[in-house]
């Protein structure tokens, strides 16, 4: 048991007790943006920042961290890791088992995908009171899994209806098309022929540019700015 705790949880500071739980932190962050405590913004910038910060209260991630914190603050990272891995596996299971015909599966997929898509700009633009991560390397590793989630989730969406020039012969064909589309390569063997398919490809290209390039730039250069990259812990 100690072996697995050391492996999965790591070094634990038993003298540290968080002052606020994850939900309280998020609410304080929203209030901080509203009151211009750290940034004198207004208009569309403030509206977007408030929307991004508030949006995280609509998704399961923050509540998973909250309940993990109830067990012990050291389990927050582990719980989030498991949740991210589950979100990566879910679209794979849909493709492999052919569950695209179940509408509720698609709605759940879109819901958790939206959480991932909104989470990254929230960290960058709307985290005024968030401390820097315990490990930048862990954050970049989770980013990689988030990227895989987006690629495979879009692969599921590409299989809905007859949006391509020809049907996908194997479940991995849709993953292949999604991967090359996200990197703006395109070999011409598959391409969208419907408006829905073209919109999906366009959205995925935008997500790749904003999600991967912008976020990788932030973490690789370790920008120190007010908010998520602060030393301050609350």
């Amino acid at each position: 048991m100690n072996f697995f705790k050391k492996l999965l949880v790591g070094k634990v500071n038993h003298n540290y007790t968080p002052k606020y739980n994850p939900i309280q932190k998020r609410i304080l962050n929203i209030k901080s943006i509203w009151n211009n405590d750290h940034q004198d913004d207004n208009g569309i910038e403030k509206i977007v920042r408030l929307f991004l910060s508030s949006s995280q209260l609509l998704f399961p991630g923050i509540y998973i961290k909250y309940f993990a914190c109830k067990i012990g603050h050291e389990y927050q990272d582990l719980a989030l890791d498991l949740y991210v891995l589950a979100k990566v596996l879910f679209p794979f299971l849909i493709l492999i088992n052919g569950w695209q015909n179940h509408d509720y599966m698609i709605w759940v997929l879109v819901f958790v995908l939206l959480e991932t898509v909104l989470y990254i700009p929230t960290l960058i633009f709307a985290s005024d009171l968030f401390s820097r991560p315990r490990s930048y390397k862990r954050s970049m590793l989770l980013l990689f899994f988030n990227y895989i989630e987006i690629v495979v989730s879009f692969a599921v969406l590409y299989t809905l209806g007859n949006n391509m020039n020809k049907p996908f012969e194997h479940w991995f064909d849709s993953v292949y098309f999604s991967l090359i589309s996200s990197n703006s390569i395109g070999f011409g063997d598959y391409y969208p022929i419907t408006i829905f398919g073209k919109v999906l490809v366009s959205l995925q290209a935008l997500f790749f540019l904003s999600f991967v390039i912008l976020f990788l730039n932030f973490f690789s250069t370790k920008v120190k700015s007010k908010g998520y990259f602060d030393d301050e812990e609350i």
Side-chain angles (χ1 to χ4, degrees):
M1 184 62 69
N2 289 333
F3 170 81
F4 288 106
K5 188 171 183 180
K6 185 72 173 178
L7 175 66
L8 299 175
V9 179
K11 185 178 180 181
V12 179
N13 184 359
H14 295 286
N15 297 321
Y16 170 71
T17 302
K19 188 177 180 181
Y20 302 103
N21 64 50
I23 296 178
Q24 290 172 325
K25 279 186 177 183
R26 177 56 59 187
I27 293 174
L28 286 173
N29 189 69
I30 296 170
K31 290 180 178 179
S32 175
I33 295 174
W34 178 257
N35 294 323
N36 294 105
D37 290 338
H38 294 98
Q39 185 170 326
D40 189 19
D41 56 353
N42 59 5
I44 190 170
E45 179 184 3
K46 189 169 185 175
I47 292 172
V48 169
R49 278 163 39 81
L50 284 170
F51 167 74
L52 289 173
S53 187
S54 303
S55 68
Q56 297 307 304
L57 294 173
L58 302 175
F59 300 105
I62 192 170
Y63 300 102
I64 290 174
K65 290 179 66 176
Y66 171 78
F67 287 113
C69 188
K70 289 285 187 180
I71 302 173
H73 70 87
E74 65 271 21
Y75 293 101
Q76 286 188 68
D77 286 350
L78 177 61
L80 192 60
D81 290 351
L82 293 175
Y83 178 55
V84 169
L85 290 176
K87 289 171 65 176
V88 173
L89 289 175
F90 182 56
F92 274 113
L93 291 174
I94 293 177
L95 286 173
I96 293 172
N97 294 287
W99 292 342
Q100 296 94 322
N101 295 327
H102 300 292
D103 291 342
Y104 67 91
M105 288 284 188
I106 302 302
W107 283 113
V108 172
L109 176 76
V110 172
F111 179 68
V112 295
L113 175 62
L114 190 60
E115 178 184 24
T116 302
V117 169
L118 290 175
Y119 181 64
I120 303 307
T122 299
L123 287 182
I124 298 173
F125 298 113
S127 53
D128 294 41
L129 290 177
F130 275 42
S131 57
R132 74 166 66 182
R134 184 168 66 172
S135 168
Y136 279 103
K137 293 178 181 179
R138 172 182 174 274
S139 297
M140 294 189 70
L141 183 60
L142 289 180
L143 168 66
F144 172 76
F145 285 114
N146 289 150
Y147 173 63
I148 296 299
E149 176 201 347
I150 291 179
V151 168
V152 185
S153 295
F154 268 88
V156 174
L157 298 178
Y158 288 130
T159 63
L160 303 178
N162 300 312
N163 299 300
M164 310 305 296
N165 61 311
K166 60 182 179 180
F168 296 116
E169 297 179 1
H170 188 272
W171 67 264
F172 188 76
D173 288 338
S174 60
V175 177
Y176 154 78
F177 174 73
S178 181
L179 185 60
I180 63 173
S181 295
S182 68
N183 290 276
S184 301
I185 301 175
F187 294 115
D189 47 354
Y190 291 102
Y191 56 86
I193 58 174
T194 65
I195 294 297
F196 178 73
K198 293 174 181 178
V199 168
L200 284 180
V201 171
S202 301
L203 286 176
Q204 190 173 11
L206 287 174
F207 290 157
F208 175 78
L209 291 173
S210 60
F211 180 92
V212 179
I213 297 177
L214 182 60
F215 196 61
L216 269 178
N217 179 64
F218 264 64
F219 272 104
S220 61
T221 56
K222 297 183 181 180
V223 174
K224 305 294 191 300
S225 62
K226 201 66 179 177
Y228 186 64
F229 301 95
D230 262 357
D231 287 320
E232 176 186 76
E233 293 188 1
I234 62 171

